[in-house]
Every structure is written in C-alpha cells, then in structure tokens.
Amino acid sequence: MDSGTTDRLSSFGMIGNEELVCQYVIRNINRGVWFGHNPLNYNTTILFFQIIIMYIAGRVTYFLLRPLHQTFPVSQIVAGVILGHFFLRRHQPSYHMVFPITSQITLITFAEFGMIIHFFKMGVQTNPKQILHIEKQAIVIGLTGHVCALVLAGVIFKIVRIIYPEGTEDTGVEILFMASSVTTFPVISDFLTEMKILNSEVGRIAVSTSMVSDSFMWIFYFVVLNSAKAMQLHSCRPVMEIAGTLCYFSIIFFCLRPLVLWISDRNPQGRPMTQGHFLSIICIVLFVGFSASIAGQPPFLVTFCFGLILPDGPPLGSVMTEKLDTIGSTLMVPSYCIITGLRSNLASLVDSRSATIEIILISMYIGKFLGTILPSVYFQIEFWDSFSLALIMCCKGLVDLCMLNILLNGKEVGELPFTLSLFTMTGVTGFASVVVYYIHDPSRRYKAYIRKTVMGAQHEPDLRILVCIHKEDDVYPIINLLQASNPTMAKPLMVVVLYLIQLSGSLISTLTKNKITHKPSQQHMNNVFDKFQEHNKGCVMLQCFTTITPYVSMHDDICYTAMNSKSNIVIMPFHKQWSIDGDVGYCNASIRILNQNVLNKAPCSVGIFIDRSMMNGKLLVTHEKSLCEIAMVFLGAGDDPEALAYSLRIAQHPNVRLTVFWIRVKMLDNKRKTKNPYIDLMEQIRYSTYHDGKVIFNEEIVEDGVETTQLIRRIEGYYSLVIVGRHHIPDSPCILGLSEWCELPELGPLGNLLATSDFTFSVLIVQQQPSFKYKLRYIT
C-alpha cells in the first residue's frame, strides 16, 4: 500500500479535550525520496530520527548542566521540556513532523522497554539482605521522613480544600503527594553515585534510610491500605487482590529464580557468560514483564523485584550490568526521561488551581526535609551532614517518573498536577544537587584530624602502616616493603591491609573487616599476610579490611580507615606494573586518579610504591640471608625529611644497607653564613654513632636538573629500592628543568623522572601530608 493510500486511511479528531487518531498502522514500506516518499511518514524511519534527536538534545543539555552539578535524569527532563516547549512547539508543523501523533505509541513502547531492562539491571545490583543490617537511626529517620511528608502534605491539603475547594477538585493531588512522599532506594543510589558520595558517611545513611522508606511504602500502601479498603467496603476483593499478588510473586521466586540461577551456574567458572545463556535470561525477563501485565502489575516494578531476588555482584550481577548498561541505561532511559518532559504542558500552568496544587506539593517536600533533619540532629549527626541528608532524601528520579506516567496514563491525575509535579521534582532535585555538592565534603572530618607522620612515630610505641591492595600481584612487593620496615619487639609494626575492589554488579558499597572467605584469590592473599605475621610473631599486628566501592570515591574509604587506625603512612600501589622484559604489563587510569585523591586528602603521610622487582629479579628482605641495597635521594625541605625518616627506619634492618645521596647546589660565599636547618640535620645524622655502619652518605654538588638526572642514572643497577620525597625546595636549581616536563605531576619532579624512565629499581615516593595552606602552595 503506498503512502497516499495510507494517508487517506488516517483521520484525526477531538473528543472533549483529547485528540484521537485513527490510522492504518502498517507503514513500513519506504522506497525513499527517489520515489516521492517522505521517510518521516514511516514508523521505523521516524523512530530512528526521534532517537537521534533525543540523544543529541539530552547529551547537549547534560554537558551544559554538568558544571552546575545536575544529575543525569534532571538534565534529560530539562532537555525534553526545552526541546518540546521552547523549540518544536513554537512551530507546530515542525513538532508534528518530528513527533507525529501516529508514532508516539511506538516511541513510548521503545522507551518503556528500556525502563524495564534498566530496572531489572538495578534489581540485580541490589542486595535485599542489606536491610537486615540497617541501624536503628536509619530506621527512625526513614520512617519519620516518610510520615512527616504524608502528615504535613495531608494537613495542608485539608486546609486548602476548606479555604478553596475549587482548587483541589478533580486534580488527584492527594494520590500524587502520597506517591511522591516515598524516597526510593534506586533513586538515592543513582544520585549518590553521580555525586560521588556513595561510600561517604552521609551516603551510607542515605542508602539505609531510603531502603527503609521504600520497604515501608510498599508494605503500607499494598497491605494496609488494601486491607482498610476491604473493611470499609465490606468486600473481600481487595484481600483477594493481595493474595493473588503474593501468589504471583511466590511463583516468580520459587520457579523463575531457580531457573535463572541454574542457567548462570551452567556457565564455565571464570569465563564470560555465553551468548546463549545471556539471551535465555533476557527471555525470562521479558516473560516476567509479560506476566506482570497479565497480573495487572507495573512491568517495571515486577522486573525490578525479579532482579532483586537474584544474587547481586559477580558473576550474574556484573554480567547483567555490563551487557545491559549501554543499550538500556545509556540509550533507552534518556529517551523515557525526554518523553516525560515532552508530555508536560506549560499552557496548563495558567490554571487558577496551579498555586494551590503547588503549595501542597511543596509542603510534602518540606515535611520530608523536616522529618529527616530533626531525627538526624537528635542522633547527633553533624548539622551540615544532617542538612545534606535531608536534601538527598528529597531528591527524585526514574522511579518517580514512572509513577507519574502511570498516574497520568490511568487518568488518576490530570495534565496540570502532572506538569507541576514534574517541574517541582526537577527543581528540588536540581537545587539539592548544587547545595549538596558545595556543603558536603567527606574529607572535612580529616581536616580537623591531627595529621600523623613517620617522623612523629619516632616518639610513639609503634609504626602504623596502611597498605592498599588491588590484586594479587601487589601482595609480595608490599610484604617485602613491610619486612624492610624493620618490625621488632621494641618497635613493632601495626599493619592494616585494605583490599580495594571496584564496585561492579551492585549498587551498595561496603567497607568490612575480613573474616573467613570462600573466594580463592582473597583467601590466598589473607594466607600470605597471615604467614608474614607468623614470621614476625610479636613484632607485627595485622588487621585486614575490604572495601567494595567505585574508584571515584574509593579514596574516602582509604582515608577513613587511615584515620580510624591512626596510621602514620598509607602505601598505595602505582597504576602501572612492569613485566620481566621491561614492558608495561598493566596500566589503570582509575588507580592513578585514586592515588591523586589520596595524596590530596589523606590524614597522614602517603607513599606511592612503584614495583619493578620483576625486572631486576631482586626481592627486598624476604630472605634473611640476602643483603638489600637501598638508596635515598635528599634535596632538602618539602617532603624529603619525611622520606629520610622512613629510610632511616628501614636502615635499622640488619639485612639492609642505606645510601643517602645528599644533592646540594654550589653555595655562594654570602649564603654560607646563612643557617640552614637541613644542613644541620644531615650533619647530625652523618656523624651519629647510632647510624654508624648502617648508613652511607654521599654528598653531591650539582648546578641544575640535568646533573641531578645524570647522578640518578649512575646509581642504576646498584640498588633494589630508591626512596624520594614528592615535594622539594621550591624553585631549587637541583630540579631546574625537571618540573617543566612532568608527565606525572602527582609524583613530583624526581618521582616523575624515576617512574617514567627505564630504570630497573623499585621506587617509593613519600609525601608528608601537609596543612591545607601548604597543599595549595606546593601541589602541581
């Protein structure tokens, strides 16, 4: 059938306030413009065009709003409003050309399919067992916030209805504020992840609080309200609906869940999931969505619950997240948000009922804010953290968009309350994003902490070291370094091991103390550290922790652990590793960013450890009969004294010999009379009988960075480890020319030279965590 015939079989008309379209729906045969066909008159072509337009509009808006720290859903809603009301609808023919009424069913179906996939993925990433570990304060805050939002909005609704009855007639605003009073866990988790505070103290409380609010809402609305409705109507039908729904979810749990787990277990362990297994699981998800429609339940909610009962994390959660994230979350979900923005109607805001509805909606948010901040302050959470938590709990997202669309499609609310609710939630969430970004700084608690150093540990009974491990290859080099740190009965080591695992396939970050684990790789690492402790019985105290969190906020767990353990120094592995032949075998840019964040925010000294033991075949001091040669390059000032303090600690090991290269600039006669505390320090150490025979001093005079580089190259092949400070004397001639060509500024000029050149010795770059003013002055 040609396009002319198809157009003649289409008719448009208005019935009341609704526009109806009667059309022959099969319009797929398009022969192109060469035969006089308009491609935009055909279902498939117009869908492609709409997806492209929405993707571009969404990405541009997100790019423009990102400096204002707006979340992805907010920017997509704004894109829909701008695209619809400020561009296309100003010229109706253009709007109907891009979004013809005849194509909207196809477009909405596409977007809703994406939301079903997205919510299934979020369900798989969620561990419902976490609700069993929620603390009392989160339960109280979650319940209080939810109840206060309902009560205050209900009271204002009653008052408005008495004063201005016409303002609340036929609006469905009471259903709207009841549905909007819920703070859902998926929304809060997404918000915290985008704001990079998922594993902060406030973030963890917000996750727990939202889980309480979410659970309470479903129990209250589903069971309590239906039971009350049955008692009021003296009918068993609501109770039968409850029983039928529970039976339906029981079938999913006891029949479909074991089927998915059986398919997942059939996949070879340690290998990627096969395409057949993945497609089988997707077919089961689609069947769940289909059966949800038959049972009269929202498909997005049922697929989320289905994902919820499946195990999170690897292997199933990680695979589902990786395979579904690009298409579902990146392409289809933005389309749903933009379509929701397009459905809003600015013209409806001129209605006289707008002010009364907005007052009720705002009162709900105020109730949520007050109901969160007051109990938070009562539980002695710091005021600004309580303020941030209250704002976070007022935020809305994808779940709320789905609820709004369901209410609009079911005629439970009209265009006016739908538009007002959409704009209000966008405005509140956008405002909360900006305020939380500027007032909530997880590192604030570290700034008031007394900063620990290796130099300060000289007057303490033990040296406390926090070592971070990314993978098994980091373990043995770190243990060598710890053994070289000379644990003795008189000066023991307190070692805290933190395993760093990137959050994958889960929405909840965790920081836990290690217990017996059934994971082979982690158990192997635990065994190695246990043997290290047994080897140094009485000289080493060991604690092991694991953090599972995104790399962008992992530094917060590291700093928190360092503060709690009162560590003097944090040892971080370098983001590159070398193989035996000298090639770079491993490089992770996320680890480099993590190291930078730790250097900037740690409450103690930091060491970046570059391991090259695979290249030179030398272990440090694991074998007691071997002699380990270590060098320290001292320029003076900056972090050099801290690096020297750690080097002198290592020099006390009986199987270690330390050589200190004191690099100095040739002084003029008028500067010789100036007292230099670092010269006095070096002279004192040089002639100290305590270091006699353990430390060799080489004083070297240089004129610029070139001679410093030549000196360092001369020591190649003689030492297993070289220790340097990160910062040195500002504008020192010793590093002249090195700072200008700094590829890795976070390591400092000498650290950058040692990390980027083809040396075969390992390197430890030490930074003594400075005060905030010092940091501003010296960090590149």
Side-chain angles (χ1 to χ4, degrees), residues 148-150 152-153 176-178 180-182 359-369 396:
C148 284
L150 281 176
L152 185 58
L176 195 59
F177 74 71
M178 289 178 67
S180 300
S181 63
V182 182
I359 289 173
I360 297 170
L361 291 176
I362 291 295
S363 66
M364 185 274 297
Y365 285 100
I366 294 175
K368 173 69 73 173
F369 182 86
K396 302 296 179 183

Side-chain angles (χ1 to χ4, degrees), residues 61 65 75 77-89 341-342:
T61 306
L65 293 182
S75 62
I77 295 171
V78 172
V81 174
I82 294 175
L83 184 64
H85 296 287
F86 296 98
F87 284 96
L88 297 179
R89 282 188 177 171
L342 287 169

Side-chain angles (χ1 to χ4, degrees), residues 159-459:
I159 295 174
V160 170
R161 172 172 282 184
I162 294 172
I163 298 175
Y164 183 44
E166 297 82 2
T168 56
E169 286 184 354
D170 302 324
T171 59
V173 68
E174 64 271 27
I175 300 176
L176 195 59
F177 74 71
M178 289 178 67
S180 300
S181 63
V182 182
T183 301
T184 58
F185 162 74
V187 169
I188 297 303
S189 177
D190 276 352
F191 179 85
L192 296 172
T193 302
E194 281 207 57
M195 298 300 293
K196 301 178 182 179
I197 55 174
L198 180 63
N199 61 330
S200 67
E201 186 177 3
V202 171
R204 288 195 167 97
I205 296 175
V207 166
S208 301
T209 304
S210 63
M211 293 183 77
V212 171
S213 177
D214 221 346
S215 304
F216 174 77
M217 183 273 291
W218 291 116
I219 294 174
F220 179 79
Y221 289 138
F222 181 67
V223 179
V224 177
L225 291 185
N226 275 292
S227 301
K229 186 178 178 181
M231 295 176 62
Q232 182 181 4
L233 299 176
H234 302 287
S235 172
C236 294
R237 184 171 180 178
V239 177
M240 295 299 293
E241 290 180 2
I242 295 175
T245 303
L246 292 178
C247 290
Y248 170 68
F249 279 103
S250 298
I251 292 173
I252 290 178
F253 184 83
F254 291 108
C255 295
L256 296 183
R257 179 180 183 271
L259 179 59
V260 173
L261 295 181
W262 179 77
I263 294 173
S264 177
D265 292 339
R266 285 181 63 84
N267 195 74
Q269 188 174 6
R271 295 185 181 180
M273 180 177 287
T274 62
Q275 186 175 2
H277 291 162
F278 172 72
L279 292 178
S280 299
I281 295 175
I282 292 299
C283 287
I284 295 174
V285 174
L286 297 179
F287 174 77
V288 170
F290 170 72
S291 62
S293 300
I294 296 176
Q297 301 294 326
F300 83 90
L301 173 62
V302 177
T303 51
F304 174 76
C305 294
F306 180 57
L308 201 65
I309 61 177
L310 298 176
D312 69 324
L316 184 61
S318 301
V319 172
M320 291 294 107
T321 301
E322 180 183 353
K323 290 183 176 293
L324 298 177
D325 196 53
T326 301
I327 297 298
S329 303
T330 307
L331 184 62
M332 295 183 177
V333 170
S335 300
Y336 188 87
C337 297
I338 293 176
I339 290 171
T340 305
L342 287 169
R343 298 184 74 181
S344 62
N345 187 359
L346 288 176
S348 64
L349 299 182
V350 299
D351 195 304
S352 59
R353 298 174 298 175
S354 298
T356 56
I357 296 175
E358 185 64 21
I359 289 173
I360 297 170
L361 291 176
I362 291 295
S363 66
M364 185 274 297
Y365 285 100
I366 294 175
K368 173 69 73 173
F369 182 86
L370 295 177
T372 303
I373 193 172
L374 294 179
S376 300
V377 173
Y378 173 79
F379 284 111
Q380 298 181 346
I381 299 176
E382 187 181 343
F383 175 77
W384 288 113
D385 287 344
S386 301
F387 192 87
S388 299
L389 178 62
L391 286 176
I392 291 171
M393 299 305 290
C394 291
C395 293
K396 302 296 179 183
L398 295 176
V399 176
D400 305 281
L401 288 184
C402 289
M403 294 301 297
L404 278 178
N405 281 293
I406 289 174
L407 293 175
L408 182 63
N409 294 335
K411 308 299 180 184
E412 300 290 342
V413 298
E415 275 193 341
L416 174 60
F418 171 84
T419 302
L420 283 173
S421 182
L422 182 66
F423 287 0
T424 304
M425 65 174 276
T426 303
V428 170
T429 306
F431 173 77
S433 303
V434 176
V435 176
V436 169
Y437 177 83
Y438 283 106
I439 71 171
H440 178 60
D441 181 10
S443 65
R444 184 172 61 244
R445 53 184 168 177
Y446 315 135
K447 293 178 181 178
Y449 177 73
I450 300 175
R451 301 181 183 277
K452 305 282 286 184
T453 63
V454 176
M455 294 175 66
Q458 296 173 359
H459 309 290

Side-chain angles (χ1 to χ4, degrees), residues 114-171:
M115 292 297 288
I116 290 173
I117 296 297
H118 176 74
F119 277 106
F120 170 71
K121 184 202 75 171
M122 295 189 70
V124 174
Q125 291 179 288
T126 305
N127 183 6
K129 295 180 181 178
Q130 291 289 335
I131 198 169
L132 302 177
H133 305 289
I134 294 177
E135 298 180 355
K136 174 185 175 182
Q137 64 178 14
I139 296 175
V140 174
I141 294 171
L143 294 179
T144 306
H146 186 77
V147 172
C148 284
L150 281 176
V151 170
L152 185 58
V155 170
I156 297 299
F157 175 74
K158 295 291 186 183
I159 295 174
V160 170
R161 172 172 282 184
I162 294 172
I163 298 175
Y164 183 44
E166 297 82 2
T168 56
E169 286 184 354
D170 302 324
T171 59

Side-chain angles (χ1 to χ4, degrees), residues 83-112:
L83 184 64
H85 296 287
F86 296 98
F87 284 96
L88 297 179
R89 282 188 177 171
R90 287 182 175 273
H91 187 247
Q92 286 297 325
S94 299
Y95 180 80
H96 288 297
M97 180 187 72
V98 178
F99 295 100
I101 298 174
T102 55
S103 71
Q104 290 186 8
I105 294 178
T106 306
L107 180 60
I108 292 174
T109 302
F110 167 82
E112 289 182 348

